[in-house]
Amino acid sequence: MADEKTFTKEFRKSLENKRIGSNFLGVLNDIKRRPSDAAKELKISTEEIENIINGKIKLSSKIISKATEIWPVNARDFYIMHDDCPNGLKMMRSEDSIKSSRVMHRSGKPYYEYRDTAMSSVGPFRPEWIEELCVVDNDQPNNSQVQWNNGHFMHQFTYFIGDVNFYYIDENGEKKVAVMNTGDSNYITPFTPHSFATRKGAKKNGLILALTYGNNLSGDSQHELSSMGKKLGKEFALDFSSKEIASVSLIKFHRNNASLTLNELSKRTNMDIEKLKDFENGKIPTYSEYAILAKCLNVNIRDLLPYDKISNKVIVQFYKNTKKWFYPENIKKYELVELANTNALPHSKALEINVLNENDKTLDLKIGLHQYGYNISDTDVSISYESDDGLKADIIKPGDSFYMKPFVEHNFRGKGKLLILRISGKITGEPQRELSLIGKKNMQRVINESTQWFDVKGRN
Amino acid sequence: MADEKTFTKEFRKSLENKRIGSNFLGVLNDIKRRPSDAAKELKISTEEIENIINGKIKLSSKIISKATEIWPVNARDFYIMHDDCPNGLKMMRSEDSIKSSRVMHRSGKPYYEYRDTAMSSVGPFRPEWIEELCVVDNDQPNNSQVQWNNGHFMHQFTYFIGDVNFYYIDENGEKKVAVMNTGDSNYITPFTPHSFATRKGAKKNGLILALTYGNNLSGDSQHELSSMGKKLGKEFALDFSSKEIASVSLIKFHRNNASLTLNELSKRTNMDIEKLKDFENGKIPTYSEYAILAKCLNVNIRDLLPYDKISNKVIVQFYKNTKKWFYPENIKKYELVELANTNALPHSKALEINVLNENDKTLDLKIGLHQYGYNISDTDVSISYESDDGLKADIIKPGDSFYMKPFVEHNFRGKGKLLILRISGKITGEPQRELSLIGKKNMQRVINESTQWFDVKGRN
């Protein structure tokens, strides 16, 4: 067994070195350096470069550092994502979660107990189990026992267990409270100050599952914004304060990108300048007008469309108002319950899954988003899933949580209940559209560049 | 002067350390570690953590390495983008471009001379000046003198100078040739094999400006794809082979993300199951049908819309067919010429700018995209721009090139002609929409997180 594990670990390590090598080749290709050019400029041998590319030698931080000195590249370009979830599923047991316990004080008093739940280096979830140690004796939003936070960069989906008050600042800057119970859920926009507390009279302290995650703005986007500095960085936020104003902002943004005058756009669209001015003053174009504008701006209708509605920054979903349905079509293997969601995050889906079938072997779920799950019931749930290594199975015990990669085929069986959150990583959305245009045929080279951009020996 | 430069360099260095510290705080916030928790887990003092956060100590690769062992984070999360363009403009002189010359052989013969032009660590451009050393004696696509490449990961916009043949493989896998002359331009989709050669009888060898760049798929997206492995990675590419099929792929993708049955969607939309099936078999919904579908799937119409048209993978734009107009409105400071573009890249805009005004001091240009420029004329062009340090000016000589950050106010004056390419980085598009929803108010914390998610002393 020990041998097998070592082998696996070493095999994984060699795979990772190959990915580092492919990525390194990708960087060299992008700046049009052959291995011999790179060797000369980095002052190492061509053989060493080739061994790094082949994954035989691990790329050192010394070479990365030298590369960032001589080329307009960044250290982060050379560091790949470590895959801590090679089988597609990473479980965190309830016992391990307990070990990560940290008590957070506010104003000198214990306020929360935090515990980690399942996280992966390849998945964007940063989920915490949080016990509300502060017990409030009323439901007033300005209760002085309540200690507010500053809000945070990440989006938050919260699932409530027990008698918990949720405090938040609304759109008008006013303090609000929502009286939550088991099964209720919410969504909190980044930087919205909030707090949670147990209600007086509760049988035990309230719990929340606080599932935070970076969406499109984390990672590269945030790094780019930071590199732009304060003054220029601020310009990137368009005015989306209403649907009308968002439409104006987008049309103006695209017209300015192309340096098109109203005069030229009027010629191209065959629309009066006055009409174009109306669109830039808040009149929302019809669909066919959007189609003409998009064509003449060389963009797509979707690039000009604002969100269908400007959602609330905080969304409270009471369990009693949830939508429920059975899945799959015409077979009752699961009862699904739709939890808090917002059209501002079209790739975030929160569900309660009531598992209804105990034996069927079909892998009836395959979701193109990253998934997080937590067993919120008192009963074991079994999971079967298809990995690179073949079919695998595991038991999700009460209080266990898991991360699952997108597109893993799986099923849940038993009688328990899971909280599931599905979110996009860095591919879903516009990158996925770009990938879809490039097509499956070239996927291998997108995933791991294995080819220099030309053959030395020529190609006719 | 030397002192001033040193000061500036050290000042920049300290700013960079502050950005590294803010980023480090951001990572700790995301995994809900207070400095004291992080210190304990990393086995260093809380003081050291606080000094890293404040930018007083530089974060070491040793600490990063330890962090990746104990937390589900990646080394790349800790490395920020280095800003080599603090004033907003980075110039590469013609002389320096010449110094970067590399001659590329194919099949044993010199085929291209490559020279770098302006690149920045904060901008996505990877632009090369390329002389075509191979002279072909006919315009046949299967000329055996022509050596083809393998295509590359990056998108390519090309500007032609002189008598150059452009060879490419079209949608049907057939070799094609386009006979190009000065001012003609093209766009090449990633992984499309291509080649360039000078035509016989040319007064001198042909030149191209080959402006390559990663769009949405480079960086984080590619790293995530690579971490998913081959089998799962391939699933991300949806079928976009026609507009109808793309519409089907998107509707199915979103319905599956929510695990909605046709039955449940039919109830919500008040549409027959048969009608929904038609949409999933290639019938494109009307705009109002899209609106209903989007609402019931909790997404936006734009999330369901395919591209307005599936563009060609290679776009050839002859100069004689270009659109031209004056800019700004009703004043002839510039004549703009629209070069090759595609709706597949709504944030890529290529222009020739003929500078017509010599003296006006107005900064009449401010573009929300990264910009690359090259002086393609025989005449100097002056540039004025607003930097953090105040108004600056420079001369762009023939053969000089530059990178400019988004939203820098600037103008060009003189009588010369510039090639300009404007492209998105990692913010434009969906991240920018997310930023716009979060609003300008919170921008400072997005750019540089300076705040823990809570105050120890509490906050009522």
Side-chain angles (χ1 to χ4, degrees), chain A residues 210-360:
Chain A
L211 313 185
T212 61
Y213 54 100
N215 194 50
N216 291 314
L217 267 183
S218 62
D220 283 343
S221 308
Q222 196 182 19
H223 284 282
E224 184 175 313
L225 260 178
S226 167
S227 76
M228 291 297 134
K230 282 183 212 179
K231 194 183 143 209
L232 300 177
K234 278 190 182 151
E235 301 271 351
F236 281 90
L238 305 177
D239 189 346
F240 272 25
S241 50
S242 72
K243 191 172 166 177
E244 287 72 18
I245 292 173
S247 176
V248 168
S249 299
L250 287 162
I251 293 170
K252 282 188 176 172
F253 180 72
H254 285 284
R255 183 165 73 83
N256 188 55
N257 286 348
S259 290
L260 282 176
T261 52
L262 285 170
N263 195 35
E264 173 67 13
L265 190 59
S266 167
K267 268 191 218 163
R268 293 188 183 189
T269 54
N270 229 343
M271 291 176 186
D272 287 347
I273 287 188
E274 287 312 311
K275 189 171 196 171
L276 295 175
K277 280 185 179 165
D278 286 346
F279 296 148
E280 296 197 357
N281 280 319
K283 182 166 186 270
I284 295 189
T286 64
Y287 188 63
S288 56
E289 287 167 341
Y290 268 130
I292 296 167
L293 286 171
K295 187 161 179 255
C296 297
L297 289 164
N298 294 313
V299 301
N300 302 287
I301 297 170
R302 69 183 305 277
D303 299 312
L304 298 178
L305 286 185
Y307 293 99
D308 297 356
K309 60 171 186 186
I310 303 293
S311 312
N312 291 336
K313 297 218 165 186
V314 170
I315 290 179
V316 170
Q317 176 70 56
F318 293 109
Y319 195 81
K320 61 177 185 216
N321 301 329
T322 52
K323 289 185 182 126
K324 299 187 175 100
W325 68 100
F326 292 104
Y327 187 90
E329 209 83 60
N330 306 323
I331 315 175
K332 299 186 174 180
K333 291 195 196 164
Y334 310 101
E335 186 197 31
L336 304 183
V337 183
E338 194 169 83
L339 304 178
N341 64 68
T342 168
N343 70 315
L345 295 175
H347 302 111
S348 289
K349 301 289 170 190
L351 296 168
E352 211 183 80
I353 298 192
N354 291 293
V355 182
L356 303 177
N357 181 295
E358 300 201 45
N359 298 309
D360 187 302

Side-chain angles (χ1 to χ4, degrees), chain A residues 66-309:
Chain A
K66 177 75 184 165
T68 60
E69 274 169 39
I70 59 172
W71 297 324
V73 295
N74 288 294
R76 54 188 274 106
D77 303 337
F78 295 91
Y79 290 98
I80 64 165
M81 280 176 82
H82 168 64
D83 183 6
D84 64 359
C85 183
N87 287 324
L89 183 78
K90 187 180 170 187
M91 192 84 76
M92 186 170 198
R93 299 297 170 192
S94 175
E95 309 85 271
D96 294 318
S97 181
I98 292 169
K99 283 181 202 155
S100 69
S101 163
R102 286 106 60 207
V103 172
M104 304 276 171
H105 287 67
R106 298 284 196 278
S107 187
K109 288 179 205 150
Y111 198 80
Y112 293 125
E113 181 188 341
Y114 274 54
R115 297 179 189 172
D116 290 347
T117 71
M119 284 190 253
S120 162
S121 57
V122 300
F125 300 99
R126 295 290 178 253
E128 298 283 341
W129 172 105
I130 303 177
E131 184 175 332
E132 280 54 53
L133 305 178
C134 168
V135 180
V136 288
D137 49 18
N138 65 39
D139 298 338
Q140 299 305 312
N142 55 358
N143 187 326
S144 67
Q145 294 169 278
V146 174
Q147 303 296 336
W148 292 71
N149 71 6
N150 302 316
H152 40 65
F153 174 71
M154 297 202 142
H155 298 266
Q156 178 166 336
F157 168 84
T158 320
Y159 184 81
F160 292 79
I161 300 168
D163 303 355
V164 182
N165 277 358
F166 163 50
Y167 300 86
Y168 63 99
I169 309 274
D170 77 359
E171 330 279 303
N172 306 317
E174 277 176 36
K175 289 183 175 179
K176 295 278 170 181
V177 63
V179 177
M180 309 295 264
N181 291 288
T182 300
D184 295 343
S185 56
N186 77 17
Y187 162 74
I188 310 172
T189 297
F191 305 116
T192 307
H194 56 272
S195 190
F196 301 96
T198 297
R199 278 192 299 281
K200 196 177 172 181
K203 282 184 193 152
K204 46 183 181 173
N205 281 342
L207 292 180
I208 60 169
L209 293 169
L211 313 185
T212 61
Y213 54 100
N215 194 50
N216 291 314
L217 267 183
S218 62
D220 283 343
S221 308
Q222 196 182 19
H223 284 282
E224 184 175 313
L225 260 178
S226 167
S227 76
M228 291 297 134
K230 282 183 212 179
K231 194 183 143 209
L232 300 177
K234 278 190 182 151
E235 301 271 351
F236 281 90
L238 305 177
D239 189 346
F240 272 25
S241 50
S242 72
K243 191 172 166 177
E244 287 72 18
I245 292 173
S247 176
V248 168
S249 299
L250 287 162
I251 293 170
K252 282 188 176 172
F253 180 72
H254 285 284
R255 183 165 73 83
N256 188 55
N257 286 348
S259 290
L260 282 176
T261 52
L262 285 170
N263 195 35
E264 173 67 13
L265 190 59
S266 167
K267 268 191 218 163
R268 293 188 183 189
T269 54
N270 229 343
M271 291 176 186
D272 287 347
I273 287 188
E274 287 312 311
K275 189 171 196 171
L276 295 175
K277 280 185 179 165
D278 286 346
F279 296 148
E280 296 197 357
N281 280 319
K283 182 166 186 270
I284 295 189
T286 64
Y287 188 63
S288 56
E289 287 167 341
Y290 268 130
I292 296 167
L293 286 171
K295 187 161 179 255
C296 297
L297 289 164
N298 294 313
V299 301
N300 302 287
I301 297 170
R302 69 183 305 277
D303 299 312
L304 298 178
L305 286 185
Y307 293 99
D308 297 356
K309 60 171 186 186

Side-chain angles (χ1 to χ4, degrees), chain B residues 148-363:
Chain B
W148 293 70
N149 71 5
N150 302 316
H152 41 65
F153 174 72
M154 297 202 143
H155 298 265
Q156 179 166 335
F157 168 84
T158 320
Y159 184 81
F160 292 80
I161 299 167
D163 303 356
V164 183
N165 276 358
F166 163 50
Y167 301 86
Y168 64 99
I169 308 275
D170 77 359
E171 329 279 303
N172 306 316
E174 278 175 39
K175 288 184 177 177
K176 295 275 172 183
V177 63
V179 177
M180 309 294 265
N181 291 287
T182 300
D184 295 343
S185 57
N186 76 18
Y187 163 73
I188 310 172
T189 297
F191 304 116
T192 307
H194 56 271
S195 190
F196 301 96
T198 297
R199 277 192 301 281
K200 197 176 170 181
K203 282 184 193 153
K204 47 183 182 174
N205 281 341
L207 292 180
I208 60 169
L209 293 169
L211 312 185
T212 61
Y213 56 100
N215 192 50
N216 290 314
L217 268 182
S218 63
D220 283 344
S221 307
Q222 195 182 21
H223 283 281
E224 184 175 313
L225 260 178
S226 168
S227 76
M228 291 296 135
K230 281 184 213 180
K231 195 183 143 208
L232 300 177
K234 276 189 183 154
E235 301 270 353
F236 281 90
L238 305 177
D239 189 346
F240 272 24
S241 50
S242 72
K243 191 172 167 177
E244 287 74 17
I245 293 173
S247 176
V248 168
S249 299
L250 287 162
I251 293 171
K252 281 188 176 171
F253 180 72
H254 285 284
R255 183 164 73 84
N256 188 56
N257 286 348
S259 288
L260 281 176
T261 53
L262 285 170
N263 195 36
E264 173 68 14
L265 190 58
S266 167
K267 267 192 224 166
R268 293 187 183 190
T269 55
N270 230 342
M271 291 176 186
D272 287 347
I273 287 189
E274 287 312 310
K275 188 170 195 171
L276 296 175
K277 280 184 180 165
D278 286 345
F279 296 148
E280 297 196 358
N281 281 318
K283 182 166 186 270
I284 295 188
T286 64
Y287 188 64
S288 56
E289 287 167 341
Y290 267 130
I292 296 167
L293 286 171
K295 187 163 180 254
C296 297
L297 289 164
N298 294 313
V299 301
N300 302 286
I301 298 171
R302 69 183 305 276
D303 299 311
L304 298 177
L305 285 185
Y307 293 99
D308 297 356
K309 62 172 185 184
I310 303 293
S311 312
N312 291 336
K313 296 219 166 186
V314 170
I315 290 179
V316 171
Q317 176 69 57
F318 293 110
Y319 194 80
K320 60 177 185 214
N321 302 329
T322 53
K323 289 186 182 125
K324 300 187 175 97
W325 67 99
F326 293 104
Y327 189 89
E329 210 83 59
N330 306 324
I331 315 176
K332 300 187 174 181
K333 291 195 196 163
Y334 310 101
E335 186 198 30
L336 304 183
V337 182
E338 193 169 83
L339 305 177
N341 64 67
T342 168
N343 71 313
L345 294 174
H347 303 110
S348 288
K349 302 287 171 192
L351 296 168
E352 212 184 77
I353 298 192
N354 290 293
V355 182
L356 304 178
N357 182 296
E358 301 201 44
N359 299 310
D360 187 303
K361 297 207 182 307
T362 328
L363 301 181

